Amino acid sequence: MLDHAAQEAITGLKEAGIDFVSGLPDGWQRNLHELVEADPFFEYVPVCNEGVGFSICAGAWLGGKHTVLVMENSGLRVAAEYIARISLGTGVPVVLMLSYRGDLGETEHWGIPHGIVVEPLLDALRIPYQIVRDPALLRRALRRANRLAQAQLHPTAVLVSGDCIWEE
Amino acid sequence: MALDRYEWLGRLAARVPDDALVMSTYIGAVSFEWADLTDEHPRTAHLGQMGDVIGMAVGLALALPHRLIVALDGDGSVLMELGQLVAMGQTRPENLVVWVVDNGCYESIGWNTDGPRPTATAASADLAAMAAASGVPHTATVETDTELDAQLDAAFGGEGGCRFVCVRTTPGHAKVAPRQTDGFEDKYRFVRHVERTEGRSILHLAEQDRQLMADPDSH
């Protein structure tokens, strides 16, 4: 994502009270992962599988952390099994921050299926979400996403795309 | 050789310190037997399911590094998501001990006339070796009472360290009552216990309610 958008995301996570981050870096949010990893405010747990990342975030919440899982939207398909088991089955909140591959502007053919699946899958998992294409709205979206997640004890999602990714 | 599950879980339960937290699978006889042995103590989160017990325990251990976290998992569950071992080996929480009930079968789905359906550990899969290869610093496979005693001493006798102990266990379960609860009740019970023992709030307090009760002139 663009550097100023990544900085907005860092600020937004802090303002939201999220200090525990897990995830699997992808082409769009790689620099966000790097910023989180370098910032002592955050506990950062990189994983090789988004499902494991979700389980780790859920366990951290049980210990009192507010958490976010940062991943490409393809990772939602991997994490879906554990979101269903843990959150639909017990009610545990985790904020999901997803690259919206396959959104308008996509350049890669392999990103198209990710875009086709992500919103219906979020709906199937009963996860409210906001698509953020303007970096100026990112901080507010993350704050609101965590507020709702904690209130409903179930994940929420922020999908990033558009002017968060491209300068044109 | 293999150990009787109810018996060795009982020995484990007797050694878990009072201030430790336990992340347990909540499906099947392991959960029922553990609940019976621990008198449903709220320090246990019966929240883990197939493929997520160790992951949740890693998260809990990282969130509360001053508390000992004990995880109870089964071989079928570990096999379902081996990436958990990678995460455990990568993060290496010093306060996490994972105990795996390795009975070599999917016991909770029932038996046919030939016995239970085998898992991959009944053939060639070696979970402790996989944990070690993933970077978990202390791993062991236990098959005898003497080996169990040594691992209990290592885990709870002050040696500490990030540990993965696979206990070869005979199939079959004790005659204990099934638990009459669900994941939501178990979550609230466990989180309230963590809140009480940590002296902090975890569950959300509704903002409007907070403001209402904070204002003495409000009616």
Side-chain angles (χ1 to χ4, degrees):
Chain A
M1 62 200 307
L2 295 172
D3 285 344
H4 71 280
Q7 290 292 349
E8 287 293 301
I10 291 288
T11 305
L13 292 172
K14 290 179 178 177
E15 290 175 348
I18 293 172
D19 59 359
F20 190 100
V21 182
S22 185
L24 181 59
D26 67 300
W28 280 8
Q29 296 191 101
R30 177 185 51 79
N31 57 341
L32 176 58
H33 285 264
E34 290 166 355
L35 288 172
V36 166
E37 189 172 31
D39 190 330
F41 179 85
F42 299 104
E43 174 122 33
Y44 176 64
V45 184
V47 290
C48 49
N49 172 315
E50 295 89 345
V52 174
F54 188 85
S55 301
I56 290 172
C57 284
W61 180 82
L62 292 168
K65 295 287 188 182
H66 287 198
T67 70
V68 65
L69 179 63
V70 183
M71 58 187 171
E72 190 174 84
N73 51 353
S74 57
L76 181 67
R77 300 198 296 269
V78 180
E81 172 63 17
Y82 301 102
I83 296 172
R85 285 185 186 273
I86 297 169
S87 290
L88 289 175
T90 69
V92 171
V94 176
V95 173
L96 312 177
M97 190 169 174
L98 307 167
S99 304
Y100 197 163
R101 300 303 310 231
D103 191 22
L104 292 176
E106 179 62 76
T107 56
E108 310 304 312
H109 64 86
W110 46 260
I112 306 307
H114 306 344
I116 292 168
V117 172
V118 64
E119 291 189 62
L121 185 51
L122 286 168
D123 289 336
L125 293 166
R126 301 180 183 174
I127 297 176
Y129 61 91
Q130 181 177 350
I131 302 168
V132 179
R133 299 186 176 93
D134 179 353
L137 301 178
L138 205 41
R139 290 165 55 180
R140 191 186 308 162
L142 287 166
R143 289 198 306 267
R144 290 175 176 174
N146 194 43
R147 285 214 303 268
L148 177 58
Q150 301 305 322
Q152 67 176 3
L153 297 178
H154 191 68
T156 57
V158 173
L159 295 91
V160 295
S161 181
D163 295 335
C164 296
I165 309 300
W166 301 293
E167 206 157 37
E168 55 186 332
Chain B
M1 289 185 66
L3 302 182
D4 175 81
R5 185 173 62 210
Y6 190 77
E7 197 278 329
W8 81 255
L9 283 180
R11 291 164 67 189
L12 173 62
R15 295 292 296 271
V16 173
D18 286 346
D19 60 349
L21 299 170
V22 182
M23 177 60 66
S24 169
T25 175
Y26 97 123
I27 295 177
V30 174
S31 172
F32 305 153
E33 290 179 9
W34 184 255
D36 183 74
L37 287 162
T38 57
D39 199 22
E40 284 280 8
H41 195 287
R43 78 166 64 92
T44 296
H46 292 267
L47 297 174
Q49 301 182 56
M50 292 288 283
D52 64 28
V53 177
I54 296 174
M56 293 178 77
V58 166
L60 187 60
L62 294 173
L64 297 171
H66 54 286
R67 303 284 291 267
L68 177 63
I69 308 300
V70 176
L72 270 184
D73 207 353
D75 52 318
S77 175
V78 178
L79 288 164
M80 181 174 276
E81 186 50 82
L82 294 170
Q84 296 177 105
L85 299 180
V86 178
M88 183 178 173
Q90 202 165 355
T91 54
R92 300 184 183 194
E94 287 286 311
N95 57 330
L96 174 61
V97 183
V98 174
W99 297 84
V100 178
V101 178
D102 181 6
N103 59 9
C105 64
Y106 294 103
E107 185 177 327
S108 292
I109 62 173
W111 297 23
N112 63 25
T113 52
D114 297 327
R117 294 284 305 169
T119 64
T121 66
S124 55
D126 183 335
L127 296 177
M130 286 191 257
S134 300
V136 177
H138 304 285
T139 65
T141 298
V142 164
E143 295 185 329
T144 67
D145 287 333
T146 304
E147 291 169 347
L148 179 66
D149 285 338
Q151 291 303 318
L152 289 169
D153 287 344
F156 305 118
E159 201 172 316
C162 176
R163 294 178 179 276
F164 180 97
V165 184
C166 182
V167 183
R168 298 292 285 181
T169 305
T170 52
H173 56 82
K175 301 296 182 191
V176 299
R179 301 182 68 241
Q180 194 171 14
T181 178
D182 66 12
F184 290 92
E185 180 176 353
D186 284 335
K187 174 199 65 183
Y188 282 115
R189 188 182 74 168
F190 178 75
V191 170
R192 294 297 188 201
H193 176 73
V194 175
E195 288 183 325
R196 190 165 55 250
T197 54
E198 289 291 315
R200 57 183 292 197
S201 174
I202 294 174
L203 290 163
H204 174 74
L205 176 61
E207 182 62 21
Q208 186 172 309
D209 296 349
R210 189 189 64 77
Q211 288 180 5
L212 172 69
M213 300 312 289
D215 179 2
D217 297 325
S218 160
H219 298 288

